[in-house]
Amino acid sequence: MKNNDTSRREFLTAALMAGIAGGCSSNNTFRPGEDQIIPSGEMVKLLSVDGEIIEVDKAFLKPIPELPPITNSEERIGIEGKKFVMVIDLSRCKNVGACKSECNHAHHLNPGQNWIKIHAMQEAEHTAPYWEPATCMHCDEPPCVKVCPVDATFKRMDGIVLIDSDRCIGCRFCMAACPYSTRVFNWQEPVAEKEIATQHYSCETSVPQKIGTVSKCDFCPDMARKGELPHCVSACPNGVFFFGDMNEDSVTNGAETFRFSDLIKDKAGYRLMEDLGTKPRVYYLPPVNRNFPFETGLKTDTIEKNNAK
Amino acid sequence: MENSTSITSEIITNDLLPQKFGKLGMIWTGVLIAFCLVGAFAYYLQLKNCLSVTAMRDYVSWGIYISNFVFFVAISLVGSLITAVFRLANVKWSTPLTRIAEIIAVSAILFASLIIIVDMGRPERLFNLFLYGRLKSPIMWDVIVIGTYLFLSLLLLYFPLLPDLKILMGSRKGSTKKYNKLYHFLGSFWKGGRLQNMLNKRAVNVLCVTIIPVAFCIHTVTSWLFATTYRPGWDSTNFGAYFISGAFLVGAGGVLIAMYIFRKAYNLEKYITEKHFDKMGRIVVLLALLYLYFNVNEYLVPAFKMKKSEDAHLTQLFAGDYAPIFWFAILAGMIIPILILIFKKGRKPLPALIAGILVVVGAWFKRYLIVTPTLLHPFLPMTDVPENYKHYFPSWQEWAIAMGSLAGALLIITFFARVFPIIPIQETINEQHETTAK
């Protein structure tokens, strides 16, 4: 597994470099004569598109702007060739809450709003308690999408269920329909810094939050487009969350990468409320052979931290 | 009709023409307007601060606006019952009640549409329903059938009014004179010839036939807003029939109240007789028994099994926080009215009025119980939310808007009765002729 991971990182680094190099060698973006850039003398090594290492003066490197904004209709179609999937390993969770706070921070959620909820579960009196982080399940038969009267919440080709807050009329039927209670509502004007609040709304970042509309976990497709993992996955110190692509049959939590089908088979993965027929895209690994006893998650500091959010 | 043989057309017309508000009428109207104004102010606050002024939060995301909506849709069904079903079944005694039932239907369905807009987080995006409407969503079904029902109900109110408009225009009485322009606008084309009468009669018959399935649709679809979800308490195949039987009951209860009030306020004892209370009383008993039957199905069957997801919900209703309202709704909304109206003495006007009030008040709380407690029992525990998200008691703004909407519906009925005859004049005269001819 370790091997697998390093090679992936190398690949990503190389790909990123190639992107920069590509930007540099293109005539359109790199015209030293016109732009009058004075070479600094400091050289950097880059990987060219042809796979050769080249040296370029640092002054000629321009930061690539953020990926070009995509249109609403592209956002509604999704990322081609992907089928995103998440695996949550309950044997590793001890209610640290880093997933939640990172998610809240990244999506500028307001106090009282949490897209990720960490439930303290106990099925029956004599069964074992465990921590169950719950995101949006991005169901393949999404009850929320079925009931939306204006197509404001929709299912994409890549499996992700998103919300168009510029279209949502705030009827909250989707909240009643969702059996996982994953959706939150902006009951008042969301508090956000001006530069965030004035941004153009994007379904993929779910930012900025809009008053009188519904929001929820979006599987961070904006991060996926950049080749990065969702915020909760990278934030979790215990590697609880695995994210990946079903078509590639691989999931990773950043440190470990698994073949998705093997992982589910070996660890007897399951989905929540299978009997409802919603077909979630989030799989759970049962809380067996746990890394932490349930009680460690009850420590008052974590609980307080979580409730304060 | 009692003393019917001695009544001539002129007397009937004179008796039934709209009258000016008396002192009580003025107070009544004033109180209603006051309620509406408070409601409008509360809605202004809500528009300013969005739904944060309500007590609804992420778990209880639907509150008394939605239960009020269900209540309005329910009570509006009476229009189709009294007017259409009775007319098609050739029930003659209901003639004086048709217009009462129809105006209740129209005003209730109007306010049902308004209150659902009040419940929206972004009411200014209402047009999205037409720009991006998805036919798969039960909300779109509701928009379509409610729109259709409102339209048919308006026609069913309007067509039988045409002959009366002619009488109103011909009237020299001061109380109707200032509305002459309105009468002319609505009915100046009506000459009352044989052909027009025949067309009108046929149109009303067609409307009666079409409005019955539409009425069933509006309340079935409204019940599906709940029954198409997975939630305990809503996930029921019984819901459509359960809602419709409840709707006919509350509507009939509403008619009992309206009969009593109009009879007292306009001295209509000759037209709305004790016989009418007797017959309506019997109907209410029948409908209450029917609704009780569906309630037994709705609560006892899941309670027998006590599935885990239903357990918390049902226990709350039967013996928990909601038990007082639950048993009030069952007793006051069904059992006590049955006990009152099953006896001949109970079908006199005053006890019938009391039974009617119990039915309607019980029905309002019943709708509250259908909507809210379910939402407090989600499948997964309520986690990572502020403490106040785990309870629901409507804020004053919600109460003000809900009560304001009820007052608004009553205001429409009141103004209608001020401008138009609340008992069809021409039809009463016609029937008078028929009975004397016999």
Side-chain angles (χ1 to χ4, degrees), chain A residues 98-146:
Chain A
C99 51
K100 197 162 54 185
S101 42
E102 187 53 35
C103 170
N104 292 356
H105 177 72
H107 299 102
H108 306 279
L109 298 195
N110 277 213
Q113 294 184 319
N114 288 293
W115 286 356
I116 301 177
K117 297 183 168 75
I118 307 177
H119 301 292
M121 298 296 285
Q122 186 169 19
E123 308 287 346
E125 196 188 342
H126 296 295
T127 60
Y130 59 93
W131 297 105
E132 181 178 86
T135 62
C136 170
M137 299 290 143
H138 295 274
C139 307
D140 279 346
E141 296 290 342
C144 51
V145 172
K146 268 192 202 166

Side-chain angles (χ1 to χ4, degrees), chain A residues 100 114 117-119 123 145 147-149 165-173 175-176 178 184-185 187 211, chain B residues 50-52 56-58 61-62 119 121-122 125 128 132-134 137 139 225 230-231 308 378 381 383-384:
Chain A
K100 197 162 54 185
N114 288 293
K117 297 183 168 75
I118 307 177
H119 301 292
E123 308 287 346
V145 172
V147 300
C148 179
S165 284
D166 281 335
R167 186 182 287 189
C168 174
I169 61 170
C171 69
R172 310 189 295 293
F173 198 178
M175 300 179 78
C178 174
V184 301
F185 192 72
W187 299 97
I211 186 173
Chain B
C50 194
L51 291 167
S52 64
M56 292 186 279
R57 290 298 177 260
D58 288 351
S61 52
W62 283 346
D119 186 68
R122 299 297 290 253
R125 293 186 183 170
N128 278 8
Y132 307 110
R134 274 178 80 252
S137 166
I139 287 191
L225 296 184
Y230 298 101
R231 307 257 178 176
K308 192 181 166 193
T383 310
D384 292 333

